[in-house]
Amino acid sequence: MISEIAGASWVLPLTFALQGISAVLVLVRLIRGPHATDRVVSIDALTLLGIGVIALLALATAEPMLLDGAVVLALVSFLGTTAFILMFRRRGRGADEKVTWVNRPPPDEPAALSPQPMEDKP
């Protein structure tokens, strides 16, 4: 390794291994789901892991041009996440996702059990 950081001979390989384990766990969440939002978050987490791998490669090889690629990947990831948020906002919630109400009880809960707003006492 070219980098001259103290402990880089064991820290960088350990970090690469931990990121690999994290990527496997995130891939399991991506495949298993169960909701579309879980899959979007896992894609975002994989992108962040990719950015971390690129940054570690830049550190290990002393090649600062790789950091430009990491910044571009971070910007594209942000735009993709924003697009997914807009898509889910338009589509609405699925049948398995429950909507909670702040000021009124859900249809299956009696009004007496619903939380009442707190009043200011002098």
Side-chain angles (χ1 to χ4, degrees):
M1 288 187 201
I2 298 174
S3 105
E4 300 186 13
I5 297 173
S9 62
W10 65 273
V11 172
L12 289 176
L14 176 67
T15 309
F16 277 119
L18 289 175
Q19 284 195 335
I21 293 169
S22 298
V24 168
L25 292 173
V26 170
L27 278 172
V28 168
R29 177 50 53 198
L30 177 66
I31 293 169
R32 292 190 66 193
H35 303 293
T37 52
D38 293 330
R39 291 185 172 99
V40 170
V41 169
S42 63
I43 289 171
D44 196 33
L46 278 176
T47 308
L48 289 175
L49 283 169
I51 293 167
V53 166
I54 292 171
L56 282 174
L57 281 173
L59 184 65
T61 61
E63 187 65 41
M65 288 297 281
L66 289 173
L67 293 176
D68 293 338
V71 169
V72 169
L73 184 58
L75 291 172
V76 170
S77 172
F78 171 74
L79 292 175
T81 304
T82 306
F84 277 120
I85 289 171
L86 293 176
M87 180 183 73
F88 287 132
R89 182 178 293 205
R90 267 188 235 128
R91 258 188 19 194
R93 292 178 174 81
D96 56 347
E97 297 178 16
K98 189 173 184 180
V99 177
T100 57
W101 302 99
V102 177
N103 294 329
R104 58 184 165 148
D108 59 343
E109 184 177 315
L113 298 176
S114 66
Q116 300 296 324
M118 295 181 63
E119 297 176 11
D120 293 333
K121 294 181 181 178

